[in-house]
Amino acid sequence: ASMSAERQIVSTVRGLLDGHRVATVAVVSVDDQAAKKFVEALGEDVNVSTHNDVEQLAGLSDLDILIANKALSKNVNHPEKLDEFVKSALKAVRFGGVVIVREDLKDAQDGKQVARLTDYFDVFRVAVDGKNTGLELYAVEEVEDSLYAHQNWLDFYWSFTKKEFPQTTGENVTFRDFLDKTQYTDTGIYAYEWIFGDNFISPGGYEENLKVIKRFGDLRAGQTMLDIGVGIGGGARQVANEFGVHVKGIDLSSNMLAVALERVQKEKDARVRYSITDALVYKFVPNSFDYVFSRDCIQHIPDTELLFSRIYDSLKPGGKVLITMYGCGYGELSEKFKAYVAQRHYFLKNLKQIEEIAKKTGFTNIYTENLTGRFKEILGEERSRVEDNKEEFLSKFSQKEYDSLVRGWGDKLGYIADDNHNWNLFLAEKPF
Ligand code: SAM
């Protein structure tokens, strides 16, 4: 199921340029063989210059595409070298052009390298022709050939387009940046995992997720699933090893996905693939998945209509979607709840709104269920578990973490009592 790295990368680039003619490309690659393969994959009508060092970017301009193929290996731990590279890449490529950085991180000492590099590129801004310029992240993807033929999940390529950004002041620069720096910091993730259960950042951990997944009906080995907001990968690994389903897990938080990647690299489960990307941005192959699953993610996503239509398009005819989400209830919203929702940048809907959107999108056999009763039970159990195991928790995390979880769980129980906070389920099919 995989082609060469070069063909995979070129096909991503063509998708990003959306049919626009590609005239000039520069490939920086120490490996001449790989450079040749890029030239071949790009086709005859393209003017490709090849280079063996990023320093040679200096003289280039107006490129449609720049591909840096394992060209940064020595530089990834040197911020000033990376700065130099990104600045010269942003000079060499035209606005709207594509920059690809491919690096194999399997030997990196630091398992979080992929998250650090993603953060680095994503927030980089520099003035070009008086414009606040940067690299808009499309995705961090795995080289499939490395995964399938060499059991390596950590050979990545980052795809970006060069863009002018509005001037921002101090705030988090992108939504990914916001997620990684606020709710899903490394410590935040591990503390959440402690309370939810191994490999899960959602109520009830493994057992609850298995119950939810079974709502799909008969999952069969070899079927394919997209998991939106896969987190640290528990759900993806579960459907793979319980049912033999092949999963593509995507998540916008690089901290989350770095953990999922570290773990799959150890477990070597070839049924599981991951990508750091935004569910509203990533170009899914149309009619390609048997299932789309999303566990407690879509409260983060502003445009539910757009999300649902993208899910619809990505499903095979007859395919099923199953989503659980944080939603709002029907009670009058308290000021405290509104402040919580605003601070998290949540976009909450009630079940009726979800059902309306699902109908409008064209789904059939729509089924919705309010799971808030179960949510309340789980929250109570989880809060007791932290309180009863305070010492163990404090041997791993700080008092601040402890207080914030206990307070957070208490607050959520309060929001439930006011019918402000709900936990909702949605299941539907794409008609044949
Ligand atoms: N599904 C996982 C689980 O059950 O353990 C993680 C759930 S966690 C509460 C929600 C996840 O959604 C986070 O990892 C977050 O980064 C991700 N997320 C938020 N916005 C996203 C977006 N636009 N595209 C993809 N993932 C997103």
Side-chain angles (χ1 to χ4, degrees), residues 175 179 183-184 196 199-202 209 227-235 250-253 256 277-280 293-302 326:
F175 192 61
L179 290 173
Q183 199 178 353
Y184 303 132
F196 287 128
N199 300 312
F200 284 87
I201 310 291
S202 53
N209 199 68
D227 187 329
I228 295 176
V230 71
I232 58 174
I250 66 164
D251 203 288
L252 186 56
S253 156
M256 283 279 197
T277 191
D278 185 333
L280 289 184
F293 179 59
S294 182
R295 183 72 207 277
D296 303 344
C297 161
I298 76 165
Q299 66 275 3
H300 288 291
I301 296 182
Y326 288 3

Side-chain angles (χ1 to χ4, degrees), residues 110-157:
D110 173 8
K112 301 284 158 50
Q113 180 88 288
V114 63
R116 288 200 293 108
L117 280 172
T118 302
D119 182 61
Y120 175 82
F121 291 125
D122 188 43
V123 302
F124 194 98
R125 299 289 182 265
V126 67
V128 174
D129 305 333
K131 293 172 174 157
N132 185 34
T133 307
L135 295 169
E136 184 170 63
L137 177 68
Y138 166 66
V140 188
E141 298 185 80
E142 297 168 314
V143 169
E144 292 182 3
D145 182 61
S146 297
L147 194 163
Y148 291 117
H150 307 285
Q151 285 79 52
N152 177 9
W153 280 254
L154 306 181
D155 187 357
F156 301 109
Y157 63 102

Side-chain angles (χ1 to χ4, degrees), residues 92-109:
V93 172
R94 66 165 168 87
F95 278 97
V98 173
V99 174
I100 300 287
V101 176
R102 181 217 180 162
E103 285 300 323
D104 185 346
L105 301 182
K106 88 171 171 308
D107 297 322
Q109 298 299 312

Side-chain angles (χ1 to χ4, degrees), residues 62 76 89 203 223 226 244 407:
D62 249 348
V76 286
Q223 289 185 309
L226 168 68
R407 195 183 334 108

